[in-house]
């Protein structure tokens, strides 16, 4: 049975109601295309499954740069610094240089700049990519690796993450071993893959202990400390009040500290707190935060090494790596006090 004809740039142009050179401009990161036309072409690229290839159909991109791009969702806080340090360490060992960009959704400016630089590839760290953006990068033949993907990546996209489910379960097992039965969770956004995995892992241990973790005791928020403190206040005012809170990031755990202080609660005497990440801030607070260590720098190293491998020799299947997480016990957790 003959193979179906391959989708060409001309096919994309026809479906998008534009010209082949305009499609080529979008895939080459040219800025002289309207935002509306660019979005329409990216949508058609995804719908038709166009993939760049060598030959006359491929957009002209010239020689590849010796640089790789690290695209971050933001540069605030120490998570980004640790990811950068790991990527930089691996890049230095491989003799390549890094360009750092920041993705500010819903703006596609980072994608246009990335395409225009003709890079060897890119590591996208905690970037909430759309299916259209991923399809455009594939069509432009830009190898990418998702570092700590925000949503479940398609099977064609390489990724490096952490054992989030196991980390969440380890947090619950620790609190349960201390005798805590009234538990609450301060989680990230419902749509974020790593947050879902951490909550699911935590809940699995609670359920196995024949305890209940109702949805009313799981609050979802962004990673900002102030918003975490606001929701943590509501959780701590619950009836019965939780004796322990698992926060799905260290930044959110600091919000729990703020809420506890405002309510006159002592950590860990009145409420135990477990975070996730093991950022430096975890040891700056008093008492030092019990947390699940996520090897962020090592994940950055692994992502860069993976990118260089798939850039040099594209694999038949996109590789996936998951690095182990480890519970680090400090002073923010203690045995449940007798009532």
């Amino acid at each position: 049975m003959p193979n179906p004809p391959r989708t060409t740039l001309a096919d994309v142009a026809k479906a998008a109601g534009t010209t082949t050179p305009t499609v080529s401009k979008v895939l080459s990161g040219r800025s002289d295309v309207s935002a509306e036309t660019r979005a329409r072409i990216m949508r058609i690229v995804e719908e038709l499954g166009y993939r760049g290839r060598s030959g006359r159909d491929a957009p002209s991109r010239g020689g590849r740069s010796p640089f790789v791009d690290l695209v971050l969702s933001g540069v605030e806080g120490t998570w980004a610094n640790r990811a950068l340090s790991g990527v930089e360490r691996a890049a230095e060992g491989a003799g390549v240089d890094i360009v750092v960009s920041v993705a500010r959704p819903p703006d596609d400016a980072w994608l246009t700049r990335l395409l225009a630089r003709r890079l060897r590839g890119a590591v996208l760290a905690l970037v909430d990519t759309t299916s259209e953006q991923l399809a455009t990068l594939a069509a432009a033949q830009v190898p990418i690796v998702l570092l700590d993907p925000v949503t479940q990546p398609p099977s064609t996209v390489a990724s490096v993450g952490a054992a989030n489910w196991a980390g969440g379960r380890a947090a619950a097992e620790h609190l349960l071993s201390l005798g805590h039965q009234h538990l609450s969770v301060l989680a990230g956004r419902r749509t974020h893959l790593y947050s879902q995995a951490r909550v699911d892992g935590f809940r699995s241990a609670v359920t196995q202990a024949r305890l209940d973790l109702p949805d009313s005791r799981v609050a979802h928020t962004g990673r900002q400390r102030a918003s975490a403190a606001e929701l943590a206040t509501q959780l701590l005012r619950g009836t019965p009040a939780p004796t322990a809170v698992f926060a799905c990031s260290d930044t959110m755990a600091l919000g729990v500290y703020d809420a506890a202080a405002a309510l006159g609660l002592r950590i860990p005497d009145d409420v135990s707190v477990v975070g996730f990440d093991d950022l430096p801030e975890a040891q700056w607070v008093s008492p030092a935060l019990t947390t699940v260590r996520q090897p962020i720098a090592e994940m950055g190293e692994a992502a860069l090494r993976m990118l260089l491998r798939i850039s040099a020799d594209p694999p038949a299947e996109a590789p996936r790596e998951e690095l182990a997480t480890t519970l680090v016990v400090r002073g923010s957790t203690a045995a449940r006090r007798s009532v």
Side-chain angles (χ1 to χ4, degrees), residues 63-308:
R64 289 285 186 181
S65 163
F67 291 87
V68 295
D69 203 322
L70 170 61
V71 184
L72 295 160
S73 60
V75 293
E76 301 83 5
T78 52
W79 193 100
N81 292 333
R82 285 197 165 182
L84 173 59
S85 69
V87 171
E88 189 278 330
R89 189 157 57 232
E92 182 180 16
V96 298
D97 293 310
I98 302 170
V99 177
V100 178
S101 303
V102 177
R104 296 181 176 88
D107 189 359
D108 280 334
W110 68 270
L111 176 61
T112 301
R113 293 194 299 269
L114 192 158
L115 293 171
R117 283 196 284 262
R118 301 184 178 90
L119 301 170
R120 291 177 61 175
V123 174
L124 310 184
L126 277 182
V127 176
D128 193 2
T129 51
T130 66
S131 56
E132 291 89 351
Q133 290 168 343
L134 293 176
T136 300
L137 288 165
Q141 296 182 309
V142 178
I144 64 168
V145 174
L146 300 181
L147 173 57
D148 218 359
V150 177
T151 57
Q152 181 64 44
S155 59
T156 54
V157 178
S159 66
V160 173
N164 291 298
W165 190 93
R169 184 175 176 89
E173 289 175 340
H174 173 62
L175 293 173
L176 292 168
S177 72
L178 295 173
H180 293 281
Q181 297 184 6
H182 299 302
L183 306 167
S184 289
V185 177
L186 191 57
R189 301 194 185 282
R190 297 177 188 273
T191 56
H192 288 182
L193 180 65
Y194 48 82
S195 177
Q196 292 174 345
R198 293 168 193 177
V199 175
D200 289 346
F202 189 90
R203 193 187 295 275
S204 72
V206 173
T207 302
Q208 187 172 345
R210 298 184 179 180
L211 296 174
D212 190 25
L213 183 66
D215 291 342
S216 60
R217 289 190 172 271
V218 180
H220 294 269
T221 182
R223 299 176 70 90
Q224 293 78 18
R225 180 171 177 171
S227 60
E230 184 177 343
L231 284 181
T233 300
Q234 297 177 24
L235 289 174
L236 293 173
R237 284 175 170 166
T239 304
T243 62
V245 177
F246 169 49
C248 287
S249 79
D250 287 350
T251 302
M252 289 191 286
L254 298 183
V256 180
Y257 273 58
D258 295 339
L263 294 173
L265 300 175
R266 296 166 299 168
I267 298 172
D269 295 343
D270 299 315
V271 59
S272 289
V273 182
V274 179
F276 201 110
D277 284 332
D278 195 24
L279 300 177
E281 294 92 318
Q283 298 185 65
W284 298 345
V285 294
S286 181
L289 178 65
T290 295
T291 187
V292 178
R293 181 180 183 272
Q294 181 177 208
I296 302 167
E298 292 88 338
M299 290 161 59
E301 288 188 76
L304 194 282
R305 289 194 297 266
M306 179 183 290
L307 177 66
L308 296 178

